[in-house]
């Protein structure tokens, strides 16, 4: 299959599944709490396909696969609804009339379903393909990391670090973690050549919450599939993998926010599309693992306390539950405007990062020169 076609198909499948599961969480929670759902859309723009089910929900598939939405009946409150909308309200089935707990459950269900999806994908992966076993081969080098500065490349085989002559991945990781900010050497095999490269390890905060910083190299190790696990063991491994992925994702975001890593590591839709195409060529197991990782990311991002996201709405509902009345409409509107500006800025910044990593601006500058 042509690389571009594979990338587009993989991107649509990956993002389509993640968005569908997220919105399905909102939909099922709304139905559970007695709220009618007017619209369930996957993709934006004029619908390519639409139909209405017996419950009165219009299902849509849009041409722009960058998200989706569920519109509960009466999602707009009395202060913002038009007379026409108010006339169409069905008593007892509107979102705004439900208790704050019911509204919070409906909003929270979307991110929760993303974590559930990640867990299910990990269980399926471990039960069919086994848990991946890391190899001492470099599969990825993070931009701006200690490894990138030292000159490590994808495909290098790590033979040891400093005085450590072991090629065991766990031993290498333990050695790196114990030497934050230290100058050392890394012994590698590149093709038929043995090399020793000087490296100064990064100094980062511990993801376990410890007071002492730990060392970091900034690489991803390649892995090979392990033996398929029994279903009970796969469930336990899936739960652990979901938790570790969540912790590592949060740790990476905290490091970017605190300046321990460059914000250029942030990727956007173009990077996701590129990676979707890359992992698809390695087979079904790689695609499952990538989808699980993205699902955790989507769930976490939506829980951030930014007003336009699910997490921001949950903050408003928490304040409402404490004070006994909703947050003033003006404050909500200002919050949504600020949240939209923040997300728009992040989208533009991540897209700029994507285009930079693809070499677009270097190519344009070469044309200008």
């Amino acid at each position: 299959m042509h690389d571009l076609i594979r990338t587009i198909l993989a991107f649509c499948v990956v993002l389509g599944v993640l968005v569908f599961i997220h919105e399905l969480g909102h939909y099922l929670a709304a139905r559970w709490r007695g709220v009618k759902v007017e619209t369930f859309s996957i993709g934006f723009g004029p619908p390519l396909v639409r139909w209405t089910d017996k419950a009165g929900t219009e299902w849509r598939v849009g041409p722009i696969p960058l998200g989706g939405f569920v519109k509960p009946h009466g999602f707009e409150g009395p202060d913002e609804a038009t007379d026409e909308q108010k006339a169409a309200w069905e008593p007892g089935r509107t979102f705004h009339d439900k208790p704050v707990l019911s509204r919070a459950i409906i909003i929270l269900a979307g991110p929760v379903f993303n974590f559930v999806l990640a867990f299910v994908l990990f269980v399926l992966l471990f039960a069919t393909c086994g848990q991946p076993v890391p190899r001492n081969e470099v599969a990825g080098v993070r931009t701006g990391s200690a490894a990138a500065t030292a000159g490590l490349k994808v495909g290098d085989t790590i033979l040891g670090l400093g005085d450590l002559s072991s090629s065991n991945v766990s031993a290498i990781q333990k050695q790196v973690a114990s030497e934050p900010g230290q100058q050392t050497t890394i012994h590698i095999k590149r093709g038929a050549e043995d090399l020793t490269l000087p490296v100064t390890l990064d100094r980062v905060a511990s993801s376990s919450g410890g007071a002492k910083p730990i060392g970091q190299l900034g690489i991803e190790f390649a892995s090979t599939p392990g033996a398929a696990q029994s279903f009970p063991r796969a469930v336990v491994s899936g739960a652990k993998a979901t938790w570790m992925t969540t912790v590592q994702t949060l740790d990476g975001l905290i490091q970017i926010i605190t300046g321990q890593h460059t914000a250029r590591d942030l990727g956007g839709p173009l990077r996701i599309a590129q990676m979707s195409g890359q992992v698809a060529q390695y087979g079904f197991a790689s695609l499952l693992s990538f989808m699980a990782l993205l699902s955790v990311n989507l769930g976490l991002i939506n829980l951030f306390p930014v007003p336009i996201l699910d997490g921001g709405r949950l903050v408003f509902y928490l304040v409402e539950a404490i004070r006994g009345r909703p947050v003033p409409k003006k404050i909500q509107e200002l919050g949504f405007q600020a949240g939209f500006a923040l997300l728009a800025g992040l989208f533009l910044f991540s897209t700029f990062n994507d285009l930079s990593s693809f070499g677009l601006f270097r190519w344009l500058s070469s044309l200008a020169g």
Side-chain angles (χ1 to χ4, degrees):
M1 185 182 296
H2 191 278
D3 287 349
L4 178 60
I5 297 176
R6 183 182 61 242
T7 296
I8 294 174
L9 288 178
F11 176 68
C12 291
V13 170
V14 168
L15 206 59
V17 170
L18 299 186
V19 170
F20 175 78
I21 293 298
H22 180 92
E23 300 303 335
L24 183 65
H26 292 312
Y27 171 81
L28 293 177
R31 295 292 302 272
W32 173 41
R33 306 310 292 180
V35 175
K36 176 183 175 181
V37 178
E38 294 182 355
T39 309
F40 188 122
S41 178
I42 300 300
F44 299 123
L48 300 175
V49 180
R50 68 166 72 186
W51 70 95
T52 302
D53 63 18
K54 294 180 180 179
T57 301
E58 182 182 76
W59 297 75
R60 302 177 183 174
V61 178
I64 306 174
L66 294 178
F69 66 91
V70 161
K71 185 180 184 301
H73 182 57
F75 188 68
E76 61 288 331
D79 295 338
E80 53 192 3
T82 64
D83 292 336
E84 184 179 356
Q85 288 174 322
K86 292 178 181 179
W89 282 345
E90 300 178 22
R93 303 186 69 190
T94 57
F95 179 84
H96 66 263
D97 278 336
K98 294 298 179 181
V100 65
L101 178 60
S102 292
R103 284 179 275 139
I105 288 173
I106 294 171
I107 296 300
L108 181 61
V112 167
F113 265 51
N114 281 124
F115 289 105
V116 172
L117 173 63
F119 168 70
V120 170
L121 291 176
F122 277 131
V123 171
L124 180 61
L125 177 65
F126 298 152
T128 56
C129 303
Q131 194 160 7
V133 178
R135 304 196 313 268
N136 61 326
E137 180 184 332
V138 178
V141 179
R142 188 167 55 241
T143 304
S145 65
T149 303
L152 262 70
K153 298 180 179 180
V154 173
D156 289 345
T157 300
I158 298 179
L159 305 176
L161 182 78
D163 296 333
L164 178 70
S165 58
S166 172
S167 60
N168 179 272
V169 172
S170 296
I172 294 171
Q173 291 174 328
K174 185 177 180 180
Q175 183 79 2
V176 168
S178 68
E179 299 182 348
Q182 295 296 310
Q183 293 182 347
T184 184
T185 54
I186 186 164
H187 315 295
I188 66 170
K189 189 175 187 65
R190 180 176 294 167
E193 189 177 7
D194 289 342
L195 301 173
T196 298
L197 304 176
V199 61
T200 301
L201 299 175
D202 291 328
R203 186 184 184 94
V204 301
S206 172
S207 60
S208 61
K212 292 184 178 180
I214 61 172
Q216 191 173 78
L217 191 54
I219 65 170
E220 296 176 16
F221 285 102
S223 61
T224 53
Q229 300 179 358
S230 65
F231 182 73
R233 186 179 175 189
V235 169
V236 174
S237 297
K240 289 180 179 179
T242 304
W243 171 253
M244 289 304 300
T245 302
T246 303
V247 171
Q248 290 169 0
T249 302
L250 277 175
D251 183 46
L253 290 171
I254 291 172
Q255 289 179 21
I256 291 176
I257 293 172
T258 57
Q260 297 179 60
H261 280 300
T262 174
R264 291 190 177 278
D265 289 339
L266 286 173
L270 297 179
R271 186 90 55 91
I272 294 174
Q274 180 193 40
M275 294 181 67
S276 298
Q278 290 174 345
V279 299
Q281 67 181 325
Y282 295 119
F284 186 63
S286 296
L287 195 59
L288 282 184
S289 181
F290 180 63
M291 288 175 64
L293 174 64
L294 280 185
S295 194
V296 169
N297 276 263
L298 183 59
L300 279 176
I301 289 172
N302 271 279
L303 287 176
F304 285 180
V306 178
I308 201 171
L309 298 176
D310 295 335
R313 292 188 181 276
L314 290 173
V315 170
F316 285 147
Y317 294 154
L318 177 61
V319 173
E320 179 180 345
I322 293 172
R323 69 197 297 261
R325 58 185 185 278
V327 175
K329 205 65 185 174
K330 186 64 176 177
I331 294 179
Q332 292 190 45
E333 290 175 354
L334 290 174
F336 289 137
Q337 291 170 5
F340 178 80
L342 175 62
L343 289 185
L346 285 174
F347 177 82
L348 292 174
F349 180 74
S350 62
T351 302
F352 176 84
N353 284 347
D354 294 347
L355 295 175
S356 296
S357 68
F358 296 160
L360 175 65
F361 300 114
R362 288 193 300 272
W363 177 71
L364 291 175
S365 62
S366 68
L367 291 181

